[in-house]
Amino acid sequence: MSLNVEHQPVRALPSEKPIRLLDNAGHAVRGAASGGFELPELDVLLELYRRMVIARRFDVQVTALTKQGRLATYPSAYGQEACEIGAISAIETHDWFFPTYRDSIALLTRGIEPGDILASFRGDWHNGYDQHAHRCASQATPLATQTLHAVGLAHAARLRHDPIVTLTYLGDGATSEGDAHEAFNFAAVWQTPTVFLVQNNQFAISTPLSRQTRAATLADKAVGYGMPGYHVDGNDVAAMYAVTLAAVARARDGGGPTLIEGVTYRIEPHTNSDDPTRYRQAREVEHWKRRDPIERLEKYLVSEGALGDDVRTEIADAAESVAAHTREVMTAEAELDPLELFDHVYARPRAALREQRARLEAELKESAMANDSSHAGAAR
Amino acid sequence: MSLNVEHQPVRALPSEKPIRLLDNAGHAVRGAASGGFELPELDVLLELYRRMVIARRFDVQVTALTKQGRLATYPSAYGQEACEIGAISAIETHDWFFPTYRDSIALLTRGIEPGDILASFRGDWHNGYDQHAHRCASQATPLATQTLHAVGLAHAARLRHDPIVTLTYLGDGATSEGDAHEAFNFAAVWQTPTVFLVQNNQFAISTPLSRQTRAATLADKAVGYGMPGYHVDGNDVAAMYAVTLAAVARARDGGGPTLIEGVTYRIEPHTNSDDPTRYRQAREVEHWKRRDPIERLEKYLVSEGALGDDVRTEIADAAESVAAHTREVMTAEAELDPLELFDHVYARPRAALREQRARLEAELKESAMANDSSHAGAAR
Amino acid sequence: MTATTTPTERAQPATSAPAPLTMAGALNAALRDAMEADDRVVVYGEDVGPLGGVFRVTDGLQARFGDQRIWDSPLAESGIVGTAVGMAMYGMRPVVEMQFDAFSYPAFEQMVSHVAKMRNRTKGRVSLPIVVRIPCAGAIGGVEHHSDSSEAYWTATPGLTVVMPSNPADAYSMLREAIECDDPVVFMEPKSRYWSKAELTLPVTTAPMDRAVVVREGTDVTLLAYGPTVRTALEAADAAASEDLSIEVVDLRSLSPFDDETVGASVRKTSRAAVIHEAAQFGGYGAEVAARVTERNFFHLAAPVLRITGFDIPYPSPKLEEQYLPTADRVLAALDTWEWEDRA
Amino acid sequence: MTATTTPTERAQPATSAPAPLTMAGALNAALRDAMEADDRVVVYGEDVGPLGGVFRVTDGLQARFGDQRIWDSPLAESGIVGTAVGMAMYGMRPVVEMQFDAFSYPAFEQMVSHVAKMRNRTKGRVSLPIVVRIPCAGAIGGVEHHSDSSEAYWTATPGLTVVMPSNPADAYSMLREAIECDDPVVFMEPKSRYWSKAELTLPVTTAPMDRAVVVREGTDVTLLAYGPTVRTALEAADAAASEDLSIEVVDLRSLSPFDDETVGASVRKTSRAAVIHEAAQFGGYGAEVAARVTERNFFHLAAPVLRITGFDIPYPSPKLEEQYLPTADRVLAALDTWEWEDRA
Ligand SMILES: Cc1ncc(C[n+]2csc(CCOP(=O)(O)OP(=O)(O)O)c2C)c(N)n1
Ligand SMILES: Cc1ncc(C[n+]2csc(CCOP(=O)(O)OP(=O)(O)O)c2C)c(N)n1
Ligand SMILES: [Mg+2]
Ligand SMILES: [Mg+2]
């Protein structure tokens, strides 16, 4: 395999109408509006449905736990399940995923333990899962920075002729950051096997899309990098899955990166500490609630006779058990050792950190002793 | 004047064939290739010719002085005169210009004294001209950073209903920097009266365009910001002038920013310390020398009978006198006062700097005295 | 515009009755009054408009002044600072907000290569009266990247002025002064103090923003603190008083420039000093404090200047920040490591 | 891969005969040998390919290893460092070049928020063996932005290892060690020393990269220098010798971590110390040196630790850099400001 790709750069405007395979009433869309993509088979759609239902139940559970103070913060993806689940379901186990703080449900779908996903939001440690084991990077907070990591890893794999793909998510707001630009450009110039999913949920905290870009669609940005861009109905999981799957296949075949914009909506506040009444109308939220991605697919599956009561119950049970498990792990306190603070800063040990560790150790012993004796005193 | 612009964002691919009003043989181009722009009047073209001839003579002179060691460094714009002069000639005295290190000849055209332009390259001080007097920012070295300054100034003027325009130049390489992206985006979202000229001279030091972008044209980048983009023959000063003039007019009318790509070539090394034989063929340079922007216009002017021997002599004389003046000022040493090092760091005086200044002053006095006495010794 | 507008020269809005005000409220009032006093003052950044900023420091200002005086920018910090440079060149006085310390890093090049250097570059012909507000430091239970202390980066950069108030009165006065200053000012706001309250009559004018202030007198030890650690120092002083150790607390307020005069006078009096900050110790701002206090007062010092700081590690996750942050206890324990023979 | 590969463990290419080598040449050889020894080592950045870098440190490497081991990246420093993070996650050992100190600033967020923090963030599960090479400091007649000293920014950042060789032998040995290190290393190369020469037999192994080295013994004063100022310190020591002042010169080599042991031993011997660097003094790396040397050796010090540095101003234009840079004369004059009564 040569790394020199001779084919012509892509030079076309994405369709301004979002690509859609299922409309909001749950009817299959045909013709130009589908952008030439095929509706996935029923079994695939059913699996996507199951994943979305479980993801939402998890998300709702975590939001509730956060309100109870079990987590320091939680950025919910309620309403974005079609983007989150559709795209992550299009990559393979050996591919890599580079998520943001918003994408916990994609990590859940990827098979990571709820407790490990949420360790960071609970405040135990910055990152709680084994990135290499799951081929999932940590959830990036500094916006758009992870997109470069995705490009770098993809390029390294390509240099090794390892046919993996990297998938990275970013928000509509994050597209304004310089790093997003540099990632798009490096990916295009190096033709790395990278799929960028912009989840355009209309807001960056309080800032609406109209103050973020003047482009007709965020997918239009692809043009400036000579890569294909797709403007997709981000509440249509069928479309999200199909478009991502095609992009992943192209990337794996040496066809380079793709930019996908999923048009969706952030139903919940930015995080639990946000107050969206300051910047948007309840009406708007209601409007988008009526475009719910799960309901849409449900209608289709029901109309196709693929979602009977038994399956529905089975899925609901599975979702409940994830929720119960999540409650359980988030209610138990994790054992934390403050001395571990010093253990992972450097691979090569440092005398100064050893000294500081010893000082904290002595301090902790002293205060434990003070506590013990005061408890002893109280008991007497 | 309201700052809310309601018109639709621009959404069209720039023409892939560069816009051209004069072909390389000096013939007027008509039809689609001209992109709908009109060839400027003869008197305008003659003035552009005069400016280019003077600019080149200056540039050649400064390169020669640099080889003689009179300047620390000089990035030549030889061969880029159509971009440099065409665009700068399209703005008014009250407009602002934000140049790079490469754009000394545009500053010369703007009326800045050679000695003041070159003070920084000679090593006297970082910036040698009065920016406010000339409405020219300093020549930015950190790539693409100046484009944000241009957007900010334009926005401030707009907030003040001051109908000025800002023009900024950047290189093909600089388009890869995050700051270029942020500037394009801020300008588009805020609809600032800003014209971006990308001088695509095919190289960023040694790095060719193919390793910088995969876009079919750099003007394609405009699409992702919802602003108009023009892909222009950057060795055709008529086209560069006409396209910039239109962009400036649109900006002044509240129509927002424009991205212009001028396709040209850097004939000289990156700077005097560069060795282009390491990364490009002499053949390629020769090819571009045959597309010289000055010769092209000259052919047209001659064919139109607008450039007789007398005018030619007069222009050559003017160019010679600029060169002579440049030699003169660059041969005289500027008076530099090391104590001035402390005077402009802060508006609000600082005790620590006062102390350091006093220490340097004492040191200088001491070494002057030591020098004097050693000279006195030598004289005795 | 003179180079050193003093606080008393400034246009004073009608004096209000004393009222309890948080630091966030005081900053909000300072922005409001500055915008009222000078229409060149514009405010922008991420979410500063309708939302009023994630800490509500700009609450209500867009409703009052409209979106041509204060507005939400696209989400790009280099863009925010870089456009502020251009605005200031035009004659505006932009006040921009970085949402958290760590999110100022994308703007680092604009800060260091332009904001800090423009005036010097142009021999004073172009000055940049920009205020970059940075909600700083930790102790708010924030997840990664929300509790960094970035002051060492800015103070190591000649051309920047760096200040940090520790209380509502200073917050108001220093922010007004920063906005009136012709130099670019990095205005650091300790997040953990945003909700601390004081009775204030506005407008309030405290000491000039480049001066340190002795906030508690003492004779045995000088504690040098700023922003969030001023409270820590005062707590330590209280606790020590019961053990007959008299601690003087100096609120540095201005990190760059450093007020050698006020600090030197205190240290020469007590002969012992310690500096307290949240940031890691190695290469932290406390190094400059310790180095310069020692340089200038070596023969007055009975003991080395101590640095009581965060550990040399990245800021920890919420559940471990308590162990990381310097507390009054840790301050007192550190003072105990000195040999105290010289004390009567 | 063990955490602390020692220099002797490394794969050794055939020993070459002693030959005069510049620092640039030594660095080039180190890259070549590292690429030869380990195919996970890849090199990229601006103009490192056919051109061989603007300082020719990568000269000839693309011809030798091909453009899948060393290549020109697009012109974007955050992109360069950010993609290196991903490459290292995959298992590569990227060595990236920033063209000059000041052009590393666009990469600041990636450096501080990811390169420095990734290992800690992931409890050691993801380490980033990245080397970021930065041609640093001044004295080369460079125009604005080409002579910054950025070390204070990196040393203030926990998680980064920061080293700076001062001579060709160290340049070779330390770069090999940096590439073998599992931690990210900011590898600073003093531009003004690129063309300094030494007779070397490659591969050369000098002291471990985290140790300081006494490069000249003396009894009266310890001069602490690194990179370009080691030569300055040696010149000062030479000049002082004729005036009967015996100066010990320590080449710090490792800025973070700091070798307290070697430096402490020297300072306790001489009882006087000064640190020399090009960067501005305020908040500069010398502050950390002065602070920690004083903390740990206060009762051994006869005088305050001096800082002999650049002024607190942006780096000046070429014609004025001579006045800015600390020279041997300035070092000696500074030592004269100490009260020397204690000297016999
Ligand atoms: C570099 C940087 N700047 C600012 C922030 C603070 N911040 C966190 S989330 C956010 C909004 C992001 O919006 P978007 O990219 O649309 O993603 P969403 O939260 O809507 O999923 C901001 C400004 C940050 N995390 N990183
Ligand atoms: C942020 C930054 N990175 C690197 C450099 C070093 N550098 C100076 S000029 C240059 C190439 C610029 O190429 P281009 O933008 O095409 O402009 P040209 O020199 O061709 O006019 C580079 C890499 C710089 N000045 N700024
Ligand atoms: Mg969003
Ligand atoms: Mg170029």
Side-chain angles (χ1 to χ4, degrees):
Chain A
M1 175 173 120
S2 153
L3 291 189
N4 289 320
V5 191
E6 294 303 335
H7 58 260
Q8 280 295 307
V10 174
R11 190 165 190 267
L13 285 173
S15 73
E16 196 160 2
K17 243 186 111 162
I19 294 169
R20 181 175 292 157
L21 298 180
L22 287 178
D23 69 16
N24 198 33
H27 301 136
V29 172
R30 312 211 191 269
S34 68
F37 292 91
E38 297 283 331
L39 191 65
E41 301 293 322
L42 272 181
D43 59 338
V44 171
L45 291 175
L46 187 61
E47 177 59 21
L48 289 170
Y49 174 76
R50 160 200 293 278
R51 291 178 180 196
M52 288 201 293
V53 170
I54 293 174
R56 172 160 307 169
R57 182 63 192 91
F58 170 80
D59 192 275
V60 167
Q61 179 62 68
V62 180
T63 295
L65 288 165
T66 307
K67 285 190 182 135
Q68 294 161 29
R70 307 292 322 167
L71 287 89
T73 187
Y74 180 68
S76 161
Y78 192 111
Q80 300 180 210
E81 292 86 356
C83 287
E84 293 278 354
I85 309 308
I88 196 73
S89 298
I91 63 169
E92 304 292 331
T93 322
H94 52 265
D95 294 329
W96 268 84
F97 177 45
F98 290 79
T100 77
Y101 51 89
R102 173 103 33 232
D103 309 318
S104 300
I105 60 173
L107 293 170
L108 181 77
T109 305
R110 188 90 175 143
I112 307 185
E113 266 293 293
D116 292 349
I117 298 169
L118 300 173
S120 60
F121 296 125
R122 172 153 76 173
D124 297 343
W125 199 272
H126 304 302
N127 172 245
Y129 46 88
D130 186 331
Q131 307 197 11
H132 284 290
H134 298 282
R135 301 210 163 190
C136 289
S138 41
Q139 293 183 262
T141 292
L143 296 164
T145 55
Q146 78 285 2
T147 60
L148 282 165
H149 307 167
V151 173
L153 194 140
H155 191 55
R158 193 149 178 270
L159 290 170
R160 284 284 180 262
H161 308 297
D162 173 0
I164 65 161
V165 167
T166 63
L167 170 68
T168 181
Y169 290 1
L170 66 159
D172 46 311
T175 64
S176 295
E177 291 281 5
D179 271 11
H181 169 69
E182 299 187 14
F184 298 157
N185 191 46
F186 274 63
V189 172
W190 292 352
Q191 287 287 288
T192 69
T194 306
V195 178
F196 300 98
L197 168 59
V198 176
Q199 290 193 71
N200 173 3
N201 65 3
Q202 314 298 327
F203 285 93
I205 306 185
S206 70
T207 306
L209 189 66
S210 60
R211 301 209 153 241
Q212 207 64 254
T213 186
R214 198 175 161 77
T217 82
L218 289 173
D220 284 15
K221 292 189 179 288
V223 175
Y225 307 96
M227 68 172 155
Y230 294 93
H231 180 59
V232 185
D233 182 334
N235 281 11
D236 176 5
V237 71
M240 286 307 305
Y241 175 77
V243 173
T244 311
L245 200 66
V248 166
R250 184 173 44 247
R252 209 182 303 284
D253 286 355
T258 300
L259 178 65
I260 301 171
E261 174 194 11
V263 182
T264 181
Y265 194 80
R266 195 196 74 215
I267 300 287
E268 289 282 328
H270 171 69
T271 66
N272 49 305
S273 50
D274 182 32
D275 174 9
T277 63
R278 288 173 169 255
Y279 57 81
R280 68 183 188 187
Q281 304 286 326
R283 240 185 314 122
E284 187 182 288
V285 182
E286 289 315 313
H287 168 76
W288 280 90
K289 278 193 175 159
R290 286 191 300 275
R291 301 163 51 98
D292 189 86
I294 300 182
E295 286 171 20
R296 184 187 306 195
L297 179 56
E298 187 167 319
K299 282 179 208 152
Y300 177 74
L301 290 173
V302 169
S303 75
E304 296 290 309
L307 188 63
D309 281 351
D310 46 345
V311 181
R312 210 192 285 262
T313 310
E314 185 257 316
I315 292 176
D317 287 351
E320 276 316 316
S321 97
V322 168
H325 175 61
T326 303
R327 277 196 305 277
E328 201 175 302
V329 292
M330 295 312 285
T331 309
E333 274 300 326
E335 282 269 5
L336 299 178
D337 177 7
L339 294 178
E340 203 177 347
L341 283 174
F342 302 93
D343 295 352
H344 310 296
V345 184
Y346 295 97
R348 190 165 172 148
R350 288 194 167 204
L353 282 187
R354 236 175 350 244
E355 289 169 20
Q356 293 175 17
R357 189 182 198 281
R359 248 182 290 147
L360 180 60
E361 192 169 13
E363 214 180 80
L364 293 171
K365 274 206 187 111
E366 210 170 293
S367 74
M369 262 157 47
N371 266 348
D372 278 0
S373 61
S374 76
H375 284 305
R380 233 178 285 146
Chain B
M1 173 175 121
S2 154
L3 291 190
N4 289 321
V5 192
E6 295 302 335
H7 57 261
Q8 280 296 307
V10 174
R11 190 165 191 270
L13 286 173
S15 74
E16 197 162 0
K17 243 186 110 158
I19 294 169
R20 181 175 292 157
L21 298 179
L22 287 178
D23 68 16
N24 198 34
H27 301 136
V29 172
R30 310 210 193 270
S34 68
F37 292 92
E38 297 283 330
L39 191 66
E41 300 292 322
L42 271 180
D43 59 338
V44 171
L45 291 175
L46 187 61
E47 177 58 21
L48 289 170
Y49 175 77
R50 160 200 292 277
R51 292 177 180 196
M52 288 200 292
V53 170
I54 293 174
R56 172 161 307 171
R57 183 64 192 89
F58 169 81
D59 192 274
V60 167
Q61 179 61 69
V62 181
T63 295
L65 287 165
T66 307
K67 286 191 181 134
Q68 293 160 31
R70 307 294 320 168
L71 288 90
T73 188
Y74 179 68
S76 162
Y78 192 111
Q80 301 181 210
E81 291 87 356
C83 287
E84 293 278 355
I85 310 307
I88 195 75
S89 298
I91 63 168
E92 304 292 329
T93 322
H94 52 266
D95 295 328
W96 269 83
F97 177 46
F98 290 80
T100 77
Y101 52 88
R102 175 114 17 240
D103 310 317
S104 300
I105 61 174
L107 293 170
L108 181 79
T109 305
R110 189 90 176 145
I112 306 184
E113 267 292 294
D116 293 348
I117 298 168
L118 299 174
S120 60
F121 296 124
R122 174 153 75 174
D124 296 344
W125 198 272
H126 304 301
N127 172 245
Y129 47 88
D130 186 330
Q131 307 197 10
H132 284 291
H134 298 283
R135 301 208 162 191
C136 290
S138 40
Q139 293 182 262
T141 292
L143 295 165
T145 55
Q146 78 284 359
T147 60
L148 282 166
H149 308 166
V151 173
L153 195 141
H155 192 56
R158 192 148 179 270
L159 291 171
R160 284 283 180 265
H161 310 295
D162 174 358
I164 66 162
V165 167
T166 62
L167 170 67
T168 181
Y169 291 1
L170 64 158
D172 47 313
T175 64
S176 295
E177 290 281 5
D179 271 12
H181 169 69
E182 299 187 14
F184 297 157
N185 191 46
F186 274 62
V189 172
W190 292 353
Q191 287 287 288
T192 69
T194 306
V195 178
F196 301 97
L197 168 59
V198 176
Q199 290 192 72
N200 175 3
N201 66 2
Q202 314 299 329
F203 285 93
I205 307 185
S206 71
T207 306
L209 189 65
S210 60
R211 300 211 152 239
Q212 208 63 252
T213 185
R214 199 177 159 77
T217 83
L218 289 173
D220 285 15
K221 293 189 178 289
V223 175
Y225 307 96
M227 68 171 154
Y230 295 93
H231 180 59
V232 185
D233 182 334
N235 281 11
D236 175 6
V237 71
M240 286 306 305
Y241 175 79
V243 173
T244 312
L245 200 67
V248 166
R250 183 173 47 248
R252 210 182 303 285
D253 286 355
T258 300
L259 178 64
I260 302 171
E261 174 195 12
V263 182
T264 181
Y265 195 81
R266 196 196 73 215
I267 299 288
E268 289 281 330
H270 172 69
T271 66
N272 47 304
S273 48
D274 182 32
D275 174 9
T277 63
R278 287 173 170 256
Y279 56 81
R280 69 184 187 187
Q281 304 287 325
R283 240 184 315 122
E284 186 182 289
V285 182
E286 289 315 312
H287 168 77
W288 279 90
K289 277 194 176 159
R290 287 192 300 274
R291 301 164 51 99
D292 188 86
I294 301 183
E295 283 171 22
R296 183 189 306 199
L297 178 56
E298 188 167 316
K299 282 179 208 153
Y300 178 74
L301 290 173
V302 169
S303 75
E304 295 289 310
L307 187 63
D309 281 350
D310 45 345
V311 181
R312 210 192 286 260
T313 311
E314 184 258 317
I315 293 176
D317 286 353
E320 275 316 316
S321 97
V322 168
H325 175 62
T326 302
R327 276 196 305 277
E328 203 174 301
V329 293
M330 294 313 285
T331 309
E333 275 298 328
E335 283 269 5
L336 299 178
D337 177 6
L339 294 178
E340 203 177 346
L341 283 174
F342 303 93
D343 294 352
H344 310 297
V345 184
Y346 295 97
R348 189 165 173 151
R350 288 194 168 202
L353 282 187
R354 240 179 343 249
E355 289 169 19
Q356 293 175 16
R357 189 183 199 280
R359 247 182 291 146
L360 180 60
E361 192 169 13
E363 213 180 81
L364 293 171
K365 273 204 187 114
E366 208 170 295
S367 76
M369 261 158 45
N371 267 348
D372 277 1
S373 61
S374 76
H375 284 306
R380 234 179 282 143
Chain C
M1 181 67 31
T2 58
T4 53
T5 316
T6 64
T8 46
E9 283 170 29
R10 83 168 62 109
Q12 301 290 17
T15 298
S16 65
L21 206 60
T22 61
M23 181 185 279
L27 293 164
N28 181 271
L31 288 172
R32 180 197 65 209
D33 293 350
M35 291 176 80
E36 209 69 83
D38 184 347
D39 71 358
R40 296 170 306 171
V41 178
V42 293
V43 176
Y44 64 103
E46 293 155 14
D47 307 297
V48 298
L51 183 64
V54 294
F55 293 104
R56 305 293 183 268
V57 170
T58 55
D59 193 22
L61 297 180
Q62 192 176 71
R64 183 174 183 131
F65 294 101
D67 68 0
Q68 296 188 30
R69 295 291 302 285
I70 168 165
W71 66 91
D72 290 332
S73 68
L75 209 173
E77 294 77 10
S78 191
I80 293 168
V81 173
T83 53
V85 169
M87 294 223 187
M89 288 178 70
Y90 186 82
M92 298 294 199
R93 302 184 90 84
V95 181
V96 296
E97 177 174 307
M98 304 281 100
Q99 213 159 64
F100 288 82
D101 286 78
F103 307 144
S104 67
Y105 303 155
F108 197 73
E109 181 186 34
Q110 287 287 349
M111 291 294 289
V112 173
S113 293
H114 291 301
V115 174
K117 291 182 175 148
M118 184 69 82
R119 185 181 171 85
N120 181 65
R121 172 183 305 149
T122 63
K123 288 201 179 184
R125 285 184 300 250
V126 178
S127 49
L128 297 179
I130 299 171
V131 175
V132 180
R133 293 181 40 244
I134 307 183
C136 73
I140 56 156
V143 294
E144 201 188 359
H145 309 288
H146 289 79
S147 297
D148 279 26
S149 286
S150 66
E151 68 269 19
Y153 302 133
W154 315 124
T155 52
T157 306
L160 296 179
T161 294
V162 186
V163 302
M164 195 190 301
S166 71
N167 59 69
D170 274 349
Y172 180 91
S173 183
M174 290 166 74
L175 184 51
R176 297 282 327 256
E177 198 178 344
I179 295 171
E180 284 163 3
C181 180
D182 279 346
D183 292 314
V185 178
V186 178
F187 193 89
M188 306 191 72
E189 305 171 358
K191 294 187 279 280
S192 64
R193 307 300 294 145
Y194 269 140
W195 312 115
S196 67
K197 278 192 181 158
E199 288 277 326
L200 284 187
T201 306
L202 294 185
V204 61
T205 301
T206 63
M209 69 170 183
D210 55 1
R211 300 310 300 252
V213 164
V214 175
V215 291
R216 177 187 173 118
E217 300 212 351
T219 53
D220 299 330
V221 176
T222 298
L223 288 183
L224 302 167
Y226 56 91
T229 61
V230 172
R231 182 175 54 169
T232 316
L234 289 170
E235 283 169 18
D238 276 347
S242 65
E243 293 177 26
D244 234 28
L245 180 70
S246 167
I247 290 182
E248 176 146 312
V249 177
V250 179
D251 181 349
L252 294 179
R253 300 168 84 254
S254 178
L255 306 194
S256 175
F258 183 84
D259 183 352
D260 290 299
E261 210 178 329
T262 304
V263 172
S266 175
V267 170
R268 283 190 296 275
K269 181 175 78 174
T270 60
S271 84
R272 288 172 187 272
V275 53
I276 315 175
H277 61 60
E278 284 190 13
Q281 181 164 113
F282 197 87
Y285 180 68
E288 178 59 37
V289 175
R292 71 195 290 123
V293 166
T294 306
E295 266 159 22
R296 291 166 186 245
N297 306 285
F298 185 75
F299 295 103
H300 296 274
L301 285 174
V305 177
L306 289 177
R307 293 184 285 168
I308 303 151
T309 66
F311 300 117
D312 292 338
I313 64 175
Y315 195 92
S317 52
K319 294 236 174 106
L320 293 169
E321 72 179 348
E322 194 190 323
Q323 274 80 26
Y324 172 88
L325 290 166
T327 57
D329 278 352
R330 200 171 279 169
V331 170
L332 294 174
L335 302 188
D336 266 347
T337 64
W338 275 328
E339 295 170 34
W340 278 99
E341 298 81 41
D342 62 315
R343 246 177 94 220
Chain D
M1 180 68 31
T2 58
T4 52
T5 316
T6 63
T8 44
E9 284 169 28
R10 84 169 61 110
Q12 301 290 15
T15 299
S16 65
L21 206 60
T22 61
M23 181 185 280
L27 292 164
N28 181 272
L31 288 172
R32 181 199 62 209
D33 293 350
M35 291 175 80
E36 209 70 81
D38 185 347
D39 71 358
R40 296 170 306 171
V41 178
V42 294
V43 176
Y44 64 103
E46 293 156 14
D47 307 298
V48 298
L51 184 64
V54 294
F55 293 104
R56 305 293 183 267
V57 170
T58 54
D59 193 21
L61 297 180
Q62 193 176 69
R64 183 175 184 129
F65 294 100
D67 68 0
Q68 296 188 29
R69 295 291 303 284
I70 168 164
W71 65 91
D72 290 333
S73 69
L75 210 174
E77 294 77 9
S78 191
I80 292 168
V81 174
T83 53
V85 169
M87 294 223 188
M89 287 177 71
Y90 185 81
M92 298 293 199
R93 303 184 88 86
V95 181
V96 297
E97 176 175 309
M98 303 280 99
Q99 213 159 65
F100 289 81
D101 285 78
F103 307 144
S104 67
Y105 303 156
F108 197 73
E109 181 187 34
Q110 287 287 350
M111 291 293 292
V112 174
S113 293
H114 291 301
V115 174
K117 291 181 175 149
M118 184 68 81
R119 185 183 171 84
N120 181 64
R121 172 183 304 150
T122 62
K123 289 202 179 182
R125 286 183 299 250
V126 179
S127 50
L128 298 179
I130 298 171
V131 175
V132 180
R133 292 182 40 244
I134 307 184
C136 73
I140 56 155
V143 294
E144 201 187 358
H145 309 290
H146 289 79
S147 299
D148 279 26
S149 286
S150 65
E151 67 270 19
Y153 301 132
W154 314 125
T155 51
T157 306
L160 296 179
T161 294
V162 187
V163 302
M164 195 189 302
S166 71
N167 59 68
D170 274 349
Y172 180 91
S173 182
M174 290 166 74
L175 183 52
R176 295 281 326 257
E177 198 177 343
I179 294 171
E180 285 164 3
C181 180
D182 280 346
D183 292 313
V185 178
V186 178
F187 193 89
M188 307 191 72
E189 305 170 358
K191 297 187 277 279
S192 64
R193 307 300 295 145
Y194 269 140
W195 312 115
S196 67
K197 278 192 182 155
E199 288 277 328
L200 285 187
T201 305
L202 294 185
V204 63
T205 300
T206 63
M209 71 170 183
D210 56 0
R211 300 309 302 251
V213 164
V214 175
V215 290
R216 178 188 173 116
E217 301 211 351
T219 53
D220 300 330
V221 175
T222 298
L223 287 183
L224 303 167
Y226 56 91
T229 61
V230 172
R231 182 175 54 171
T232 317
L234 289 170
E235 283 169 16
D238 275 347
S242 65
E243 292 177 27
D244 235 28
L245 180 72
S246 167
I247 290 182
E248 177 147 312
V249 177
V250 179
D251 182 348
L252 294 179
R253 300 169 81 253
S254 177
L255 305 193
S256 176
F258 183 83
D259 183 354
D260 290 299
E261 209 178 328
T262 304
V263 172
S266 175
V267 170
R268 284 191 295 276
K269 180 174 79 174
T270 61
S271 83
R272 287 170 188 274
V275 52
I276 317 175
H277 62 59
E278 284 190 14
Q281 180 163 112
F282 196 88
Y285 179 69
E288 178 60 38
V289 175
R292 71 195 290 122
V293 166
T294 306
E295 267 159 21
R296 291 167 184 243
N297 306 284
F298 185 74
F299 295 103
H300 296 274
L301 285 173
V305 177
L306 289 178
R307 294 183 285 168
I308 304 152
T309 66
F311 301 118
D312 292 338
I313 64 175
Y315 196 92
S317 51
K319 294 234 175 108
L320 293 169
E321 70 179 347
E322 194 189 323
Q323 275 80 29
Y324 172 88
L325 290 166
T327 56
D329 278 352
R330 199 171 279 167
V331 170
L332 294 174
L335 303 189
D336 266 347
T337 63
W338 276 329
E339 296 169 34
W340 279 97
E341 300 81 39
D342 62 315
R343 246 177 94 222

